[in-house]
């Protein structure tokens, strides 16, 4: 601690504690060098108090010692923090500091990261106690070793002269020797061993000892286990208990031989019993069973039909007698009596049929008068018949339409022979009298008032309706020349009042925009050269050009690689991964000219979902994600649904101009955008016909860089997306501003000053020389005589002047007295611009040699 002097009360300052950040907001990476930390070790304490913002924001600190002299050169080891993504406190320790000067660096990652409320403080550990090696002497040389005492804080362990540490047995088992230990009573000794050297043992239960016979057999009894026996054994069944006795078996199975069911043992045949042979040669038959005695001589069995009481009878003619009580019998009705009201055949007028009329609900049974009742005629019959035939039935013969029955010819009516030999013709109808001698019909063309004229040569006189006159300038023979349009219709060319035809020169691209070739008022056709290249990259080599062409952006583990003339963007299958490449130069609209953007690109054969791909012109929004991929843009996209779109974004709002047919072969294809401030065309593989077009997109920003990107959604794609580009170029179709440009970077152009001079480094130097010479030129010009080149005194032309006597001037004769100058005859006497410029030229040459010539190689 240090006391800061000159204060009203003591202020302590700790040089071993220095602040890096104090509640700061970090948006960019940076570093700071701290001095006066001393030797030993330092600790960096990091405290992030608020959650960071941005897309995938990360923060990482590192500490390394630097040379205290230049405060730049780092040396020694470096220590780093973990990658910080959330609020929390963390420390970083750097040991072995020698010079007391360290560099603290911090690196931010992600898209537009921002960490607020960040505190970072470096403290001095001091003392050099960490990382220090102490020499404890040479091994096996106790004289040089450090003495160490073993103590519990109160008592010190003793070491004997023989270098043994004294111990007791209070804590652990100690190694002992049993050579002279006293043995317990009855312990096994050599006295209890046999002559064979084997130990003898007694079997004892604590009270009794087992006996062994002279034949070395252990005596046992049968009180515990079954013993093996030999010889004759007589067994007694003892108490029957659950044993099956003869009496029991006899009662259950009966005696031998066939018996009645009541005296037989019940059995059951097995479920898988095989077939049992049975003989029916002598089986007893039921009463009345069919036997050979009941068969006819033909061998057929005779059968009686019986209902249990009565037997059906068969006549001698072999007919079964039946009655009609149960089923319908075939009968003959030739002489049957008919029931009352039965329908009979009537074939004569004297035997008419009788019919009852009904209205659908009841029969009509009124008094018969020989005529249909008026109620029926005026009701249903009148509607169905009278309406067609009239109040009275028509008679035969031709009638007027009002007295005829309406009919219609059937749809499948065959041809009807008709004769028109005597048909009356309308007035003026064509007849043989109006035919020419060649037999051809003559026809007049008439608009209802005027009739067209045919000349004596057989030609129809026509005029152009647009001319509005039939003067001498109108040809007598009409001639028409034209061609087919896209619909196959004949189109005539445009003709002015003087008969001059107009032909439009265009192409599918220009026609889609309503544009034609332009002919100037003095009859020349306006042409232009091929579009000039503004920006291009063939993606050769293995390193992306980030010096003059591209700016790269990666989110998460997104990758941007170049090789084999392909630029590849990769995001894998991790949610939120992104990779983007954007051109460093931006490109404004060029008036009536077009910017032509084209590239060759490879997509997956099968469209993937949950990822967004884009190529064209565009900028990213503040928060770049698959859901919010672009701010202002024009180009192609494959959206998160897998659809390929011709699209533009205006201030973050997407407009899908057309959903395109997506290539599905997984190979390279050509994509192009032709862009003007008011017009856009999209092309896929061919520049003949655009696949989409749009007018007046009204973007929030017109000046845009070239952009390509690939970013995964919140739900990642099922497999890694393919995004490979082979070549890219941007051209200007106008070529209205040809300029001197850099061959490697054609968007960098030379500048022409307002005076029409090419601005170069040398011209800048010359201009600075002129600026410096102008005051000298004006001053010398006023002081030099234009006729002699000698210096002269300045004279005020607005008033008379008196010059003092000049006593000594080397190149001027003595001037004694100059009186009033009456008049000035020439302004050249005062202007100085006509003065000899020898001095100016010499000065300019000297400055040129010193400032310009030395810089020219």
């Amino acid at each position: 601690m240090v006391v800061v002097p000159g204060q009203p009360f003591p202020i302590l300052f700790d040089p071993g504690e220095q602040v890096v950040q104090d509640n700061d907001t970090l948006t960019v990476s940076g570093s700071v060098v701290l001095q006066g930390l001393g030797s030993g070790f330092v600790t960096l304490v990091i405290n992030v108090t608020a959650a960071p913002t941005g897309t995938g924001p990360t923060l990482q600190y590192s500490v390394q010692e630097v040379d205290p002299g230049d405060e730049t050169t780092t040396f020694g080891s470096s220590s780093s923090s973990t990658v910080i993504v959330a609020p929390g406190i963390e420390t970083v320790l750097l040991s072995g500091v020698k010079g007391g000067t360290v560099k603290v660096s911090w690196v931010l990652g992600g898209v537009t990261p921002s960490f607020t409320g960040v505190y970072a403080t470096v403290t001095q550990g001091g003392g050099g106690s960490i990382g220090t090696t102490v020499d404890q002497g040479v091994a096996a040389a106790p004289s040089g070793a450090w003495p160490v005492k073993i103590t519990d804080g109160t008592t010190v362990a003793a070491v004997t002269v023989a270098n043994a540490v004294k111990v007791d047995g209070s804590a652990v088992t100690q190694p002992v020797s049993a050579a002279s230990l006293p043995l317990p009573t009855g312990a096994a000794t050599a006295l209890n061993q046999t002559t064979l050297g084997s130990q003898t043992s007694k079997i004892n239960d604590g009270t009794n000892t087992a006996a062994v016979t002279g034949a070395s057999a252990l005596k046992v009894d049968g009180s515990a286990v079954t013993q093996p026996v030999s010889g004759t054994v007589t067994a007694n069944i003892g108490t029957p208990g659950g044993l099956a006795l003869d009496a029991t078996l006899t009662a259950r199975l009966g005696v031998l031989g066939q018996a009645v069911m009541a005296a037989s043992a019940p059995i059951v045949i097995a479920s898988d019993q095989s077939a049992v042979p049975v003989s029916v040669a002598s089986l007893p038959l039921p009463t009345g069973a069919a036997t050979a005695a009941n068969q006819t001589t033909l061998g057929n069995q005779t059968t009686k039909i019986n209902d249990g009481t009565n037997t059906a009878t068969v006549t001698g003619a072999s007919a079964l007698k039946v009655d009609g009580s149960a089923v319908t019998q075939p009968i003959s009705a030739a002489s049957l009596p008919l029931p009352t009201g039965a329908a009979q055949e009537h074939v004569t007028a004297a035997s008419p049929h009788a019919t009852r009329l009904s209205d659908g609900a009841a029969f009509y049974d009124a008094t018969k008068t020989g005529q249909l009742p008026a109620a029926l005629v005026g009701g249903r019959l009148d509607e169905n018949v009278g309406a067609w035939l009239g109040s009275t039935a028509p008679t035969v013969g031709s009638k007027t339409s009002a007295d005829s029955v309406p009919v219609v010819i059937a749809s499948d009516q065959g041809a009807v022979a008709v004769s028109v030999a005597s048909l009356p013709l309308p007035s003026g109808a064509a007849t043989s009298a109006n035919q020419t001698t060649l037999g051809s019909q003559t026809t007049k063309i008439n608009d209802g008032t005027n009739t067209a004229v045919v000349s004596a040569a057989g030609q129809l006189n026509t005029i152009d309706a647009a001319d509005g006159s039939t003067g001498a300038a109108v040809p007598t023979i009409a001639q028409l020349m034209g061609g087919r349009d896209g619909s196959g219709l004949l189109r005539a060319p445009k003709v002015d009042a003087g008969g001059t035809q107009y032909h439009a020169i265009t192409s599918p691209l220009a026609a889609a925009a309503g544009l034609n070739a332009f002919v100037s008022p003095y009859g020349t056709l306006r042409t232009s050269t091929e579009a000039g290249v503004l920006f291009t990259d063939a993606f050769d080599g293995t390193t992306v050009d980030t010096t003059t062409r591209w700016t790269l952006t990666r989110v998460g583990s997104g990758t941007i690689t170049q090789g084999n003339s392909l630029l590849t963007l990769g995001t894998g299958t991790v949610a939120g991964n992104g990779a983007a490449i954007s051109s460093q130069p931006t490109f404004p609209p060029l008036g009536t000219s077009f910017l032509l953007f084209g590239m060759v690109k490879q997509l997956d054969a099968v469209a993937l979902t949950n990822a967004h791909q884009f190529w064209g012109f565009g900028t990213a929004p503040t928060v770049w994600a698959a859901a919010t991929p672009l701010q202002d843009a024009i180009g192609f996209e494959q959206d998160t649904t897998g659809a390929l779109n011709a699209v533009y974004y205006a201030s973050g709002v997407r407009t899908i101009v057309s959903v395109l047919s997506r290539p599905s072969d997984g190979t390279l294809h050509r994509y192009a955008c032709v862009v003007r401030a008011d017009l856009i065309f999209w092309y896929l593989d061919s520049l003949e016909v655009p696949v989409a077009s749009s007018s007046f997109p009204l973007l929030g920003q017109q000046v845009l860089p070239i952009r390509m990107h690939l970013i995964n959604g919140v739900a990642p794609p099922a497999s890694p997306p393919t995004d490979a580009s082979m070549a890219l170029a941007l051209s200007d179709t106008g070529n209205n501003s040809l300029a001197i440009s850099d061959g490697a970077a054609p968007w960098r152009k030379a500048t022409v000053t307002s005076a029409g001079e090419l601005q170069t480094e040398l011209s800048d130097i010359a201009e600075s020389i002129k600026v410096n010479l102008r005051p000298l030129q004006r001053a010398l010009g006023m002081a030099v005589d234009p006729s002699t080149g000698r210096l002269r005194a300045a004279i005020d032309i607005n008033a008379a002047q008196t010059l003092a006597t000049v006593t000594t001037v080397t190149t001027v004769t003595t001037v004694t007295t100059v009186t009033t100058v009456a008049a000035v005859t020439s302004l050249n006497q005062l202007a100085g611009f006509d003065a000899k410029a020898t001095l100016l030229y010499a000065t300019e040459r000297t400055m040129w040699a010193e400032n310009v010539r030395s810089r020219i190689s």
Side-chain angles (χ1 to χ4, degrees):
M1 292 291 181
V2 177
V3 177
V4 180
Q7 302 296 326
F9 52 85
I11 296 178
L12 299 180
F13 169 69
D14 186 0
E17 178 179 296
Q18 299 190 34
V19 175
V20 179
Q21 279 107 24
D22 184 10
N23 196 22
D24 292 346
T25 298
L26 302 182
T27 57
V28 295
S29 304
S31 64
V32 64
V33 174
L34 305 177
Q35 293 181 320
L37 294 172
S39 62
F41 65 92
V42 297
T43 302
L44 172 63
V45 180
I46 308 160
N47 182 13
V48 178
T49 63
T53 61
T55 302
T58 62
L59 174 62
Q60 186 174 26
Y61 283 83
S62 63
V63 184
Q64 188 172 12
E65 188 169 4
V66 298
D67 177 13
D70 63 8
E71 298 184 3
T72 301
T73 305
T74 60
F75 65 93
S77 62
S78 174
S79 298
S80 299
S81 69
T82 62
V83 178
I84 301 171
V85 298
I89 298 180
E90 183 175 345
T91 60
V92 180
L93 177 68
L94 178 64
S95 61
V97 177
K98 298 177 176 58
T101 302
V102 298
K103 179 180 181 180
V104 179
S105 304
W106 56 94
V107 178
L108 280 83
V111 179
T112 62
S114 179
F115 285 76
T116 58
V118 179
Y119 297 85
T121 307
V122 174
T123 63
Q124 176 186 2
S129 60
I130 293 183
T132 303
T133 301
V134 179
D135 186 3
Q136 297 184 7
V138 181
S143 61
W146 289 2
V148 177
K149 292 184 178 181
I150 301 175
T151 178
D152 61 359
T154 303
T155 306
V156 178
V159 180
T160 67
V161 177
N163 295 325
V165 178
K166 291 184 177 182
V167 298
D168 60 23
S170 63
V172 295
T173 303
Q174 306 298 320
V176 297
S177 172
S180 59
L181 288 178
L183 297 176
T185 304
T189 65
L191 298 176
N192 290 327
Q193 305 300 320
T194 66
T195 56
L196 298 175
S198 301
Q199 180 182 9
T200 58
S201 301
K202 291 182 179 181
I203 301 174
N204 192 285
D205 62 356
T207 302
N208 301 313
T209 300
V212 179
T213 66
S216 300
L218 181 67
K219 290 183 177 182
V220 297
D221 62 20
S223 63
V225 295
T226 303
Q227 305 298 319
V229 297
S230 63
T232 302
V233 178
T234 301
N236 192 334
I237 193 172
T239 304
L243 298 177
L245 304 179
D246 290 343
T248 303
L249 296 177
T250 301
R252 295 292 180 88
L253 301 178
V255 298
L256 299 178
Q258 187 178 27
V260 298
M261 290 189 296
S264 301
I267 63 172
V268 64
I269 297 176
S271 62
D272 56 350
Q273 174 67 49
S274 58
V276 178
V278 178
S279 174
V280 297
S282 60
L283 286 178
L285 298 176
T287 303
T291 63
N294 291 327
Q295 303 300 321
T296 65
T297 55
L298 297 177
N300 294 325
Q301 180 182 8
T302 59
T303 304
K304 291 184 178 181
I305 300 174
N306 192 284
D307 62 357
T309 302
N310 302 313
T311 301
T313 303
V314 179
T315 66
S318 301
L320 182 64
K321 289 185 176 181
V322 298
D323 61 21
S325 64
V327 296
T328 303
Q329 305 297 322
I331 59 175
S332 172
S335 60
L336 287 178
L338 298 175
T340 303
Q344 303 180 44
E345 181 183 12
H346 298 274
V347 297
T348 63
S351 180
H353 290 279
T355 302
R356 299 179 71 185
L357 298 178
S358 172
D359 60 0
F363 288 110
Y364 178 77
D365 293 327
T367 303
K368 313 313 187 276
T369 61
Q371 299 291 332
L372 291 175
L376 293 180
V377 173
R380 298 191 177 194
L381 291 179
D382 185 55
E383 290 179 1
N384 296 325
V385 179
W388 290 95
L389 302 181
S391 59
T392 59
T395 58
V396 298
S398 178
K399 296 293 188 296
T400 62
S401 297
D403 296 324
S404 300
V405 177
V407 297
V408 63
I409 298 177
S411 61
D412 56 352
Q413 172 67 49
V416 179
V418 178
S419 174
V420 296
S422 59
L423 285 179
L425 297 176
S427 176
T431 63
S432 57
N434 290 328
Q435 305 300 319
T436 65
T437 55
L438 297 177
S440 300
Q441 179 182 7
T442 58
T443 303
K444 291 183 178 181
I445 300 176
N446 192 284
D447 62 357
T449 303
N450 304 311
T451 301
V453 177
V454 178
S455 68
Q459 297 172 333
L460 181 64
N461 291 345
T462 63
I463 63 172
D464 187 347
D467 288 345
S469 66
T470 57
V474 178
T476 57
I477 301 175
Q479 296 177 348
L480 178 64
M481 180 179 68
R484 290 185 177 181
D485 61 9
S487 303
L489 301 176
L490 179 64
R491 298 292 184 185
K494 294 181 179 180
V495 182
D496 65 3
T500 302
Q501 294 183 351
Y502 289 93
H503 296 274
I505 302 175
T506 186
S507 66
L509 168 64
L515 303 175
N516 300 319
F518 176 74
V519 177
S520 68
Y522 42 87
T524 59
L525 179 65
R526 180 179 178 182
T527 62
S528 64
T529 60
E530 286 292 329
V533 176
L534 295 178
F535 186 94
T536 184
D537 197 340
F539 303 122
D540 287 338
T542 59
T543 303
V544 180
D545 180 7
T546 57
T547 302
T548 60
R549 284 184 171 86
W550 301 106
T551 299
L552 310 184
T553 302
R554 300 178 181 89
V555 176
S557 56
T559 60
I560 303 173
T561 58
Q562 182 172 301
N564 299 322
S565 298
L566 287 175
L567 177 75
T568 303
L569 307 182
T571 54
T573 57
V574 178
N577 273 1
I581 180 169
S582 182
S583 66
Q584 294 178 10
T586 57
F587 304 97
L590 300 175
T592 59
S593 301
F594 287 92
L595 287 175
L596 175 57
F597 166 78
M599 67 178 303
V600 179
K601 196 172 190 68
Q602 177 184 357
L603 302 176
D604 293 288
V606 178
L608 295 180
T609 58
N610 299 331
H612 188 276
Q613 292 171 269
F614 175 80
W615 54 102
F617 300 93
T619 57
T622 302
V623 179
W624 181 44
T628 56
L630 295 159
Q631 182 69 12
D632 290 285
I634 298 171
F636 295 86
E637 73 169 3
Q638 181 170 280
D639 62 21
T640 54
T641 68
L644 179 63
N645 303 321
V647 67
Y648 68 83
Y649 284 73
S651 301
V653 179
R654 179 176 72 162
T655 298
I656 298 177
V657 178
S658 178
V659 179
L660 307 179
S661 177
R662 184 185 182 278
S664 59
D665 54 6
T667 61
L668 293 166
H669 288 267
R670 301 176 184 87
Y671 299 86
C673 280
V674 179
V675 179
R676 201 170 67 184
D678 63 329
L679 196 58
I680 312 171
F681 297 98
W682 287 263
Y683 294 87
L684 177 56
D685 283 333
S686 172
L687 286 177
E688 288 298 322
V689 179
V691 294
S693 63
S694 179
S695 298
F696 304 106
L698 298 178
L699 304 185
Q701 178 180 340
Q702 294 281 358
V703 181
L704 301 172
I706 297 171
R707 179 178 177 84
M708 295 178 284
H709 75 228
L710 170 63
I711 185 169
N712 292 348
V714 177
S719 59
T722 297
D723 191 307
S725 304
M726 188 179 76
L728 177 147
L730 177 67
S731 303
D732 166 24
T733 63
N735 287 320
N736 294 317
S737 56
L738 296 178
I740 300 174
S741 62
D742 186 348
W747 60 89
R748 295 176 175 171
K749 295 180 173 58
T751 302
V752 178
T753 67
S754 58
E757 299 174 347
L758 182 64
Q759 182 175 339
T760 64
E761 186 176 5
L762 296 181
S763 67
D764 294 341
I765 296 173
E767 183 62 29
S768 65
I769 293 175
K770 291 178 181 179
V771 172
N772 293 327
L773 288 179
R774 284 186 185 116
L776 178 60
Q777 181 183 17
R778 285 193 295 270
L780 292 177
M782 294 297 294
V784 173
D785 187 337
S787 60
T788 64
R790 296 177 179 178
L791 292 176
R792 66 183 180 185
I795 298 176
D796 187 356
I797 62 174
N798 296 318
Q801 299 293 324
T802 300
L803 296 181
T805 301
V806 180
T807 58
T808 303
V809 178
T810 303
T811 57
V812 180
T813 58
T814 301
V815 178
T816 57
T817 302
V818 178
T819 57
T820 302
V821 177
V824 177
T825 59
S826 174
L827 290 179
N828 288 338
Q829 298 172 352
L830 303 177
F833 290 102
D834 293 335
K836 294 180 179 180
T838 304
L839 179 59
L840 293 178
Y841 294 155
T843 304
E844 186 172 2
R845 283 196 299 270
T846 301
M847 295 184 68
W848 174 268
E850 292 178 352
N851 296 286
V852 179
R853 176 63 64 185
S854 61
R855 304 177 64 178
I856 299 177
S857 59

